[in-house]
């Protein structure tokens, strides 16, 4: 992504908004956290030139907003965020045939897994991590049976710690 976009938005500003939102969430101010993550999503849309679906900024913002939903006790809304993310991924155009999306599926699954691992400490993070791990499974199954089996083992360990 470019460092800045029309309107003066920069990738650094977007990431700073996410960091601030995460800090506010950790301090218990979910409403302010949500506002920062929504602003970061808008910055990401500007960076992507309006083509935000399935872009890295869209994925990051969707994950942060889903985390906020779980932190406020609205797991259903958090799961809707995950579903919308998966739908945007499935609808995104690829250079390959529509049935052959292994690399993007693996990339999205890995982003979701890394987010789950990194944010389990935040209020609602353990529940959101479990939902992300559930959603990553079918993506990994598209790519590799071996990778899917390893994921399921890791998912089981995550659930046993919760």
């Amino acid at each position: 992504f470019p460092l800045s976009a029309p309107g003066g938005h920069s990738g650094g500003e977007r990431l700073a908004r996410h960091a601030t939102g995460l800090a506010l969430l950790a301090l218990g101010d979910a409403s302010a956290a949500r506002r920062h993550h929504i602003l970061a999503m808008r910055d990401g849309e500007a960076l992507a030139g309006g083509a935000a679906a399935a872009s890295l900024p869209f994925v990051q913002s969707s994950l942060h907003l889903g985390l906020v939903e779980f932190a406020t006790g609205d797991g259903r809304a958090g799961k809707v965020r995950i579903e919308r993310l998966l739908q945007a991924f499935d609808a995104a155009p690829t250079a390959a045939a529509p049935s052959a999306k292994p690399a993007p599926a693996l990339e999205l699954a890995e982003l979701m897994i890394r987010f789950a691992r990194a944010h389990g400490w935040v209020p609602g993070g353990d529940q959101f991590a479990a939902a992300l791990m559930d959603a990553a499974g079918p993506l990994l199954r598209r790519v590799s049976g071996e990778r899917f089996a390893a994921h399921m083992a890791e998912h089981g360990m995550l659930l046993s710690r919760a």
Side-chain angles (χ1 to χ4, degrees):
F1 293 101
L3 294 178
S4 64
H9 300 284
S10 75
E13 290 174 22
R14 181 180 57 80
L15 296 175
R17 289 187 196 279
H18 281 312
T20 303
L22 186 59
L24 289 165
L25 186 61
L27 293 170
D29 192 346
S31 179
R34 181 180 285 113
R35 284 192 304 273
H36 279 274
H37 294 308
I38 288 170
L39 289 172
M41 181 175 269
R42 289 180 186 155
D43 289 348
E45 290 171 357
L47 282 170
S55 68
L56 181 60
F58 175 78
V59 171
Q60 290 172 333
S61 295
S62 295
L63 293 173
H64 280 285
L65 288 166
L67 178 61
V68 169
E69 301 299 353
F70 272 84
T72 61
D74 194 352
R76 194 176 117 250
K79 288 179 181 179
V80 167
R81 291 252 181 219
I82 295 170
E83 286 301 316
R84 286 184 185 156
L85 177 60
L86 295 171
Q87 289 168 358
F89 163 78
D90 283 336
T94 64
S99 61
K101 290 186 182 181
L106 179 61
E107 185 177 354
L108 179 59
E110 292 293 340
L111 281 167
M112 292 167 60
I113 291 166
R114 283 193 299 273
F115 193 93
R117 288 179 189 150
H119 295 86
W121 61 274
V122 178
D126 55 343
Q127 295 168 352
F128 188 54
L132 286 175
M133 296 292 271
D134 283 345
L139 294 173
L140 292 171
R141 189 178 305 143
R142 290 184 196 178
V143 178
S144 159
E146 264 181 41
R147 183 62 185 95
F148 175 68
H151 169 74
M152 293 308 294
E154 180 182 8
H155 187 26
M157 289 189 294
L158 176 78
L159 291 175
S160 69
R161 285 184 276 181

